[in-house]
Amino acid sequence: MTSVPPPAPTKPVLSSYVVDQWVTPDGDGEPVHSAVTGELLCQVTAAGIDVGAMVRHAREVGGPALRAMTFHDRAAMVKELVGVIAEHKDELYALSAQSGATKKDAWVDVDGGMGVLATYASKARKELPNAHVAVDGPPEHLSRDGSFLGQHVWTPREGVAVQINAFNFPCWGSLEKLAPALVAGMPVIVKPASPTAYVAEALYRHLLASGVLPDGAVQFIAGHPGDLFDHLDGRDVVGFTGSAATAEHLRGHRAFTARSATFVAETDSLNASVLLPSAAGDDGHVERFVREIKRELITKAGQRCTAIRRALVPEAAVDAVVARLQDAFDGLTIGDPTDESVRMGALVSASHREDVAQTVDKLLAGCRRVVGDGDLDLVGDVDPAAFMVPTVLLLEDPDFEAVHELEPFGPVTTVIPFRDAAHAVDLVRRGGGSLVASVFGDADDPDAATLFTGIASHHGRLLFVDATDAESQTGHGTPLPHLVHGGPGRAGGGEEMGGVRGIHHYMQRTALTGSPELITNLTGRYAPGAPRNLDVEHPFKLTYDQIRIGDALLTDEREITLDDIESFAALSGDTFYAHMDDEAAKASPIFEGRVAHGYFLVSAAAGLFVWPDPGPVLANFGLENLRFMTPVYPGDRIRLYLTCKDKVTRREPDQGTVTWDVEVLNQDDEVVAAYDVLTIVKREVPA
Ligand code: NAP
């Protein structure tokens, strides 16, 4: 592990972290100014940086070091990074303010980024094995006799994960890619957007100085990455976030078209929010709709890829909604983002503000400005060049297509009138594929279903807000680490996060076929049909550390009697006809007479396999994949195999989860029930 003391922030030229060294290029770079004061903050250039050496170092040093760790080791490492960021939050907040971000904006970026790391650490520990290979779904039975199985498996890709980020969230935007890549076992090269690279540089100075990351696991390029893509091939993944125009240019590179490196793009998006016709007369719905639009426009001064760019309002309600929007923005405080009274800060730069203003001018060819006519009245001693008033346009020309094509990446949205739900669907789809859409109205409104079926395939995420989730909903513009972020078509066609799904982008899925024994040995998870080890003590007498995958118990037999069925019916109250009425059971297409309750079989099975005394098995906390396969009639005899299928450590260091494969057989060795039993088992913790 490398422990490099953090160098002082590099001024005027930002450093890059290359082959485990901070390197400062000679000469001048692109100047970056404070969005708030206009002062020069730094210059950004990667001139002279050997990006080929970075790729080789990641592949030859970082990758092997990460792959030597298990998913759980890497999850623990990612969790440690949360603590490192927490120690330096104040510095990151202060730097973010220079980019125009209020404290709330910085919270979304910095704390939101920490939340992504923490979520990935937790999900990886719970949902992935403490191993080097992860299985994908259950095995496929490919032969009649069970001697040949297929099992999809995930293993880490052996290349480098390059991330190219947009300027708006210099911490979150990078960490949401870093967490899944590291958990998967891929080294990362981070390339932040130049306008906010100074914030990302500070973040990575601390992460890299922490000693938490193995050598080569993370490198950092401030500035244009030169011929980086020339060094990439089918082992590598590029995660790009930025404009559709840049994505279009980059994805044409031979690294992707000829050498099959993966290009995952998250680009711009004309996200829509729809007020359903029946909701337009309901003050609660209108209030929530307007509040959401306002929040989307002022958070990060509207510089969010997920912000509401098109607000669809029923024709009859347009005047009322516009009036509410005018009220909502009246008196909004804009200015120095460090001033507690300020609700909206600056755009990232004067030139970006100019780009947004020009896009608004283009939109005014078919729209009218209904909010944002007033002068800028700024709080604090600031340079006004990067500030802008929130702007709401109203579409006046229904055939004006630019509202569905141009993205004003700032505090701008357009109100678009619609006739009915089908018209709203058509308008939303004209965005050409978006990251997210939201719909405001009652949960049982048939138009909600029309919207859902009409637009789901055009979006990565949909938010429905009614009166019952109005306070708990997490926000139109808020991507969550548990849920997929991305969108089809114009939104880039990529997908990130979504819990463990996001980790899979950095791994290769392989269809592994072979005998059950081979699959068990290679995956570390018991596959049905593999040899069981019956030559052990009762497995419930073994600690977590003593139990081996495949350790098993074959129980004694138990005869199921009519008395058992009667008693269980009396005890449980379950007097379903199939258990109680012989004639009715015979008349059914499924049974030949009265059958035992499935839940009785599960209970009787527990009676056959448990070891009654206190021991390493502390508790049973559930069943999974339960299937009743063959009816059990009075007089049948059952017995079962209990086989250790899987082991996962728990948050509590002295406990682990052991999953047992249970196969209940009848006297003819037919499987009558199959399921997994989950138990908490004591670990031997060294004193
Ligand atoms: P951008 O201009 O497209 O830049 C994105 C990134 O690409 C930056 O890091 C930029 O580096 C880099 N880049 C540009 N040309 C490159 C090249 N030839 N080779 C390698 N890298 C290159 O976008 P932006 O202005 O930073 O961000 C705003 C846009 O991003 C908006 O359109 C917004 O909708 C979109 N966005 C999308 C998402 C999403 O998740 N879908 C999230 C945030 C933002 P330099 O800065 O050094 O030029």
Side-chain angles (χ1 to χ4, degrees):
M1 303 268 179
T2 305
S3 181
V4 186
T10 48
K11 242 177 143 181
V13 176
L14 287 187
S15 301
S16 291
Y17 193 71
V18 180
V19 191
D20 301 327
Q21 297 288 333
W22 283 102
V23 174
T24 309
D26 295 328
D28 292 338
E30 278 294 306
V32 177
H33 296 93
S34 164
V36 184
T37 63
E39 71 167 307
L40 177 71
L41 293 176
C42 62
Q43 295 175 30
V44 181
T45 175
I49 283 179
D50 187 349
V51 286
M54 293 175 82
V55 171
R56 283 193 298 282
H57 187 61
R59 286 195 188 130
E60 292 165 12
V61 177
L66 289 168
R67 292 196 300 275
M69 302 161 81
T70 64
F71 289 109
H72 287 201
D73 295 336
R74 295 191 293 259
M77 176 181 79
V78 164
K79 191 173 170 198
E80 271 195 75
L81 298 179
V82 179
V84 177
I85 301 173
E87 279 177 42
H88 301 284
K89 256 168 62 165
D90 290 348
E91 180 189 344
L92 295 172
Y93 271 56
L95 287 170
S96 299
Q98 295 293 345
S99 73
T102 62
K103 197 169 173 185
K104 215 168 164 186
D105 296 336
W107 181 85
V108 173
D109 191 31
V110 178
D111 297 63
M114 289 161 61
V116 175
L117 295 179
T119 303
Y120 268 96
S122 160
K123 284 188 103 46
R125 205 177 29 72
K126 284 190 203 137
E127 298 174 32
L128 292 172
N130 192 16
H132 300 92
V133 180
V135 300
D136 176 20
E140 299 288 339
H141 293 261
L142 302 174
S143 69
R144 269 173 198 275
D145 67 355
S147 64
F148 188 59
L149 295 182
Q151 173 68 65
H152 290 98
V153 295
W154 293 104
T155 54
R157 290 171 71 149
E158 295 196 0
V160 56
V162 174
Q163 46 167 270
I164 299 186
N165 297 320
F167 70 77
N168 54 342
F169 288 108
C171 298
W172 180 90
S174 172
L175 296 172
E176 59 107 3
K177 294 185 172 81
L178 184 79
L182 288 181
V183 169
M186 271 192 102
V188 178
I189 295 177
V190 178
K191 187 253 171 283
S194 295
T196 50
Y198 55 94
V199 184
E201 193 234 30
L203 170 70
Y204 279 93
R205 263 189 297 116
H206 293 302
L207 293 181
L208 288 159
S210 68
V212 172
L213 296 161
D215 285 353
V218 174
Q219 299 176 82
F220 180 89
I221 308 176
H224 191 281
D227 64 354
L228 176 66
F229 288 4
D230 291 343
H231 301 274
L232 303 183
D233 61 34
R235 292 168 286 184
D236 307 308
V237 182
V238 173
F240 170 82
T241 301
S243 63
T246 309
E248 184 182 343
H249 168 68
L250 297 184
R251 64 157 45 103
H253 194 281
R254 284 181 61 76
F256 313 110
T257 59
R259 297 194 294 278
S260 300
T262 301
F263 187 75
V264 180
E266 300 297 340
T267 61
D268 49 55
S269 174
L270 290 162
N271 315 290
S273 186
V274 182
L275 180 68
L276 292 180
S278 70
D282 178 318
D283 202 53
H285 287 309
V286 175
E287 204 274 321
R288 288 187 282 274
F289 179 69
V290 167
R291 195 184 341 143
E292 199 71 22
I293 294 170
K294 181 178 175 188
R295 178 161 68 174
E296 290 298 310
L297 256 57
I298 64 177
T299 303
K300 243 355 237 194
Q303 300 164 112
R304 283 215 288 184
C305 54
T306 46
I308 298 171
R309 299 283 170 227
R310 298 178 297 154
L312 272 64
V313 177
E315 281 172 349
V318 165
D319 290 347
V321 170
V322 165
R324 293 285 280 263
L325 282 164
Q326 287 164 336
D327 283 351
F329 285 101
D330 193 31
L332 180 80
T333 44
I334 307 172
D336 180 352
T338 60
D339 187 306
E340 296 275 318
S341 69
V342 164
R343 298 285 312 283
M344 191 178 100
L347 277 71
V348 73
S349 63
S351 68
H352 182 64
R353 187 213 172 279
E354 193 47 40
D355 285 349
V356 176
Q358 283 178 11
T359 307
V360 170
D361 284 344
K362 288 181 192 158
L363 291 171
L364 284 169
C367 303
R368 177 161 60 91
R369 196 190 303 257
V370 290
V371 172
D373 257 338
D375 292 334
L376 264 177
D377 179 15
L378 296 173
V379 175
D381 184 15
V382 296
D383 178 342
F387 289 87
M388 177 172 183
V389 277
T391 300
V392 179
L393 307 176
L394 171 62
L395 180 69
E396 292 197 309
D397 172 3
D399 298 323
F400 184 63
E401 281 301 309
V403 282
H404 307 295
E405 289 162 3
L406 297 178
E407 182 204 36
F409 197 58
V412 183
T413 197
T414 303
V415 172
I416 301 178
F418 68 89
R419 293 185 297 278
D420 54 23
H423 186 209
V425 166
D426 176 52
L427 291 168
V428 173
R429 290 161 65 115
R430 284 196 217 171
S434 301
L435 297 168
V436 55
S438 52
V439 179
F440 288 74
D442 290 330
D444 61 355
D445 188 331
D447 283 342
T450 305
L451 260 294
F452 167 67
T453 49
I455 68 173
S457 65
H458 286 55
H459 290 82
R461 179 164 62 87
L462 294 178
L463 166 69
F464 284 82
V465 182
D466 61 46
T468 62
D469 65 355
E471 298 309 317
S472 56
Q473 62 103 351
T474 45
H476 169 105
T478 310
L480 297 171
H482 318 73
L483 301 180
V484 159
H485 171 61
R490 177 184 179 138
E495 194 181 291
E496 291 178 331
M497 300 198 295
V500 169
R501 293 173 192 84
I503 296 170
H504 292 159
H505 299 309
Y506 302 98
M507 299 205 279
Q508 175 63 38
R509 179 165 37 199
T510 305
L512 174 66
T513 53
S515 66
E517 182 175 3
L518 174 120
I519 287 176
T520 299
N521 291 343
L522 297 188
T523 61
R525 189 180 165 98
Y526 178 78
R532 298 179 170 102
N533 175 22
L534 291 163
D535 196 17
V536 278
E537 271 199 273
H538 190 294
F540 276 26
K541 290 167 134 181
L542 302 175
T543 63
Y544 178 89
D545 306 83
Q546 289 168 330
I547 299 165
R548 300 279 164 259
I549 301 295
D551 281 356
L553 170 77
L554 174 62
T555 66
D556 292 338
E557 264 189 356
R558 166 178 179 154
E559 183 172 331
I560 304 298
T561 66
L562 201 53
D563 257 6
D564 288 333
I565 298 173
E566 297 277 352
S567 306
F568 190 79
L571 185 64
S572 65
D574 177 352
T575 55
F576 188 59
Y577 79 92
H579 313 305
M580 310 308 290
D581 181 339
D582 203 47
E583 285 308 308
K586 280 189 178 129
S588 88
I590 296 175
F591 305 115
E592 293 165 13
R594 291 176 71 177
V595 288
H597 302 70
Y599 301 120
F600 171 59
L601 296 178
V602 170
S603 307
L608 289 169
F609 70 64
V610 294
W611 182 259
D613 301 333
V617 176
L618 302 173
N620 160 358
F621 71 96
L623 300 180
E624 282 179 347
N625 309 318
L626 173 61
R627 285 286 178 282
F628 299 119
M629 288 134 113
T630 310
V632 172
Y633 298 102
D636 282 353
R637 296 187 311 281
I638 61 162
R639 60 181 184 153
L640 63 96
Y641 281 107
L642 175 84
T643 309
C644 175
K645 178 174 181 176
D646 202 10
K647 293 167 57 176
V648 183
T649 52
R650 294 173 69 83
R651 188 197 309 265
E652 301 77 5
D654 58 346
Q655 297 173 8
T657 296
V658 178
T659 303
W660 304 91
D661 175 89
V662 176
E663 210 174 60
V664 184
L665 308 171
N666 65 15
Q667 61 282 355
D668 301 322
D669 278 347
E670 292 169 311
V671 180
V672 300
Y675 50 98
D676 295 339
V677 171
L678 307 171
T679 56
I680 300 174
V681 182
K682 256 192 224 166
R683 299 194 62 183
E684 294 158 24
V685 182

